[in-house]
Amino acid sequence: MPTKKLIAPFYERLALILIGVCVLGYLVVMAKELIDPMIFGFLFAVLLLPVSNFFEKKCRLPRSASSFLSILLFIGFVGGIMYLIGTQISSIANDWPMLKGQVTESINNLHEWVHTTFHINTDKQLTYVHSTADKLMASGTAVLGTTFGAVSSLVLFYVFILIFTFFILFYRRLLFRFITWVFSDENKTIVVDIVENVQKILRQYILGLMIEMVIVAGMAITIFYFIGIKYAALLGIIVGVFNIIPYIGIFSALLLSTVVTFATGTISQTLTVAACTIGIHAVDANFLLPAVVGSKVRLNALISFVGIIIGEMIWGLSGMFLSIPIIAIFKIIFDRIESLKPWGYLLGGDYEYKDSVEKKMKTE
């Protein structure tokens, strides 16, 4: 007689899932120094894979040389963006006396407002400011050491990303064979489909973000230039770069752009820049993002927002960047495994049901 397959109760399976998630989360937090640059390296390797294949197949370069040259081109692209930002910052340094006068005037106005509102005279305010400054200067050595250590760790983090990118590009065929070999032959087709779609979706997502960043930066630079903002190029680049951070980036771009405009312009210009930044973000979120990026990684807003918060809690700023691609990878996996398809539907949303209905109507 055939034996009946026993299925564990739901609460037992849920408990095992929660325990597994907690253990996995603990391991991810503890292994941040290794996994964080490795995932960034994987994303950059996926992005640079067509470039490396071009050098290897069309230019007949060895795989090591093609991988290294692809990384050099990527470094040159990032260096060009940093050069544009650096030239704008240097122009701000040339106008430092004007900025200092503007800030001094703003501080004096703030003193007057505090005195009028809270009835605290200027002498008491200055006494509090000087005492706070003395405390900060007393701990200056510790702050300097901490800053130096943070900068050193950041540089080392970028170096590790480039090293991982090179090795993943160089050993990409070995890694692909390992992934297909580790599963049984009956699942090989699904595994290959998952690997190919992960590469395709992530590459399209990263390219979409870059295109979106360039378009948003161009819009912001043009608008700021026509309304007479002095550092229109710098503020436009800031809005474009920070805009690629989902949900949180708009607040950072709004804060930086308004602070720089307030220090170099008038109150009306500051309010205009704030309104334009919010307007650009509204256009991007409702029209540009769905057209350029949304069609590549279709995740619902709730899951995306929760993922960004969890990513920030686990890995900080890098976790915010990596949360959407990682969730997208999970969705690709869930959509191709029958028992996990409900989870893939949860990460996506009702649009998948609508798409399936539309396709069915077209076929009929």
Side-chain angles (χ1 to χ4, degrees), residues 201 293-301 303-304 327-328 331-332 335-336 343-359:
I201 295 299
V293 181
S295 59
K296 312 300 187 294
V297 181
R298 303 186 70 174
L299 303 174
N300 70 66
I303 295 298
S304 301
I327 295 175
K331 176 170 170 48
I332 292 172
D335 286 342
R336 284 155 179 81
W343 295 96
Y345 173 76
L346 175 64
L347 298 181
D350 289 335
Y351 75 88
E352 296 185 339
Y353 175 74
K354 295 177 182 178
D355 290 348
S356 62
V357 171
E358 291 177 357
K359 290 181 180 178

Side-chain angles (χ1 to χ4, degrees), residues 41-84:
F42 171 73
L43 293 178
F44 291 147
V46 169
L47 177 64
L48 297 176
L49 182 58
V51 181
S52 179
N53 285 333
F54 173 81
F55 288 132
E56 185 176 349
K57 295 178 180 179
K58 301 296 183 180
C59 301
R60 303 295 182 180
L61 294 177
R63 191 175 304 167
S64 58
S66 62
S67 302
F68 186 70
L69 187 57
S70 302
I71 294 174
L72 286 182
L73 290 177
F74 178 73
I75 294 174
F77 173 77
V78 176
I81 297 177
M82 298 302 295
Y83 175 76
L84 291 175

Side-chain angles (χ1 to χ4, degrees), residues 111-128:
H111 284 317
E112 292 295 332
W113 180 80
V114 171
H115 176 68
T116 305
T117 306
F118 300 101
H119 305 290
I120 301 175
N121 58 41
T122 306
D123 294 334
K124 290 184 178 179
Q125 296 178 39
L126 292 176
T127 301
Y128 176 76

Side-chain angles (χ1 to χ4, degrees), residues 4 6 16 24 33 62 78 93 134 229 248 253 262 302 317 333:
K4 187 177 181 180
L6 296 177
L16 291 175
L24 179 62
E33 303 298 330
V78 176
D134 292 337
I229 302 302
I248 310 297
F262 177 74
L302 175 62
L317 185 61
I333 297 173

Side-chain angles (χ1 to χ4, degrees), residues 101-359:
Q102 182 80 3
V103 172
T104 302
E105 182 181 354
S106 301
I107 292 175
N108 292 333
N109 294 334
L110 181 61
H111 284 317
E112 292 295 332
W113 180 80
V114 171
H115 176 68
T116 305
T117 306
F118 300 101
H119 305 290
I120 301 175
N121 58 41
T122 306
D123 294 334
K124 290 184 178 179
Q125 296 178 39
L126 292 176
T127 301
Y128 176 76
V129 171
H130 289 320
S131 63
T132 305
D134 292 337
K135 292 178 181 179
L136 291 175
M137 291 299 294
S139 58
T141 304
V143 172
L144 183 61
T146 303
T147 303
F148 179 77
V151 172
S152 302
S153 300
L154 193 62
V155 172
L156 192 62
F157 176 73
Y158 292 149
V159 172
F160 282 157
I161 289 177
L162 296 178
I163 293 174
F164 278 121
T165 303
F166 174 79
F167 281 127
I168 292 174
L169 282 173
F170 184 72
Y171 291 110
R172 58 183 181 270
R173 289 185 176 84
L174 182 146
L175 295 174
F176 178 76
R177 292 193 187 101
F178 166 76
I179 293 174
T180 55
W181 196 2
V182 79
F183 292 94
S184 59
D185 292 337
E186 61 183 9
N187 297 322
K188 185 176 181 179
T189 304
I190 298 177
V191 173
V192 172
D193 183 47
I194 290 174
V195 172
E196 291 177 348
N197 277 275
V198 165
Q199 293 183 37
K200 178 182 176 182
I201 295 299
L202 290 182
R203 190 179 301 119
Q204 291 178 345
Y205 173 70
I206 298 172
L207 288 175
L209 282 182
M210 290 184 176
I211 294 172
E212 180 197 10
M213 179 182 68
V214 172
I215 295 175
V216 170
M219 290 171 54
I221 292 172
T222 304
I223 294 174
F224 293 161
Y225 177 78
F226 279 110
I227 64 178
I229 302 302
K230 185 171 184 180
Y231 299 105
L234 175 63
L235 297 182
I237 293 174
I238 288 175
V239 173
V241 171
F242 278 89
N243 189 71
I244 65 176
I245 305 176
Y247 303 103
I248 310 297
I250 176 59
F251 299 104
S252 303
L254 182 63
L255 176 63
L256 290 174
S257 59
T258 52
V259 167
V260 174
T261 307
F262 177 74
T264 58
T266 61
I267 297 295
S268 61
Q269 287 180 327
T270 304
L271 296 176
T272 304
V273 166
C276 291
T277 304
I278 295 174
I280 291 171
H281 176 72
V283 172
D284 171 63
N286 291 283
F287 300 100
L288 188 60
L289 184 64
V292 179
V293 181
S295 59
K296 312 300 187 294
V297 181
R298 303 186 70 174
L299 303 174
N300 70 66
L302 175 62
I303 295 298
S304 301
F305 188 70
V306 171
I308 291 169
I309 294 176
I310 295 175
E312 195 279 334
M313 293 171 59
I314 295 176
W315 283 354
L317 185 61
S318 62
M320 295 171 62
F321 277 104
L322 295 175
S323 57
I324 301 299
I326 290 176
I327 295 175
I329 292 174
F330 279 116
K331 176 170 170 48
I332 292 172
I333 297 173
F334 293 163
D335 286 342
R336 284 155 179 81
I337 298 176
E338 191 64 33
S339 60
L340 298 177
K341 282 187 176 180
W343 295 96
Y345 173 76
L346 175 64
L347 298 181
D350 289 335
Y351 75 88
E352 296 185 339
Y353 175 74
K354 295 177 182 178
D355 290 348
S356 62
V357 171
E358 291 177 357
K359 290 181 180 178

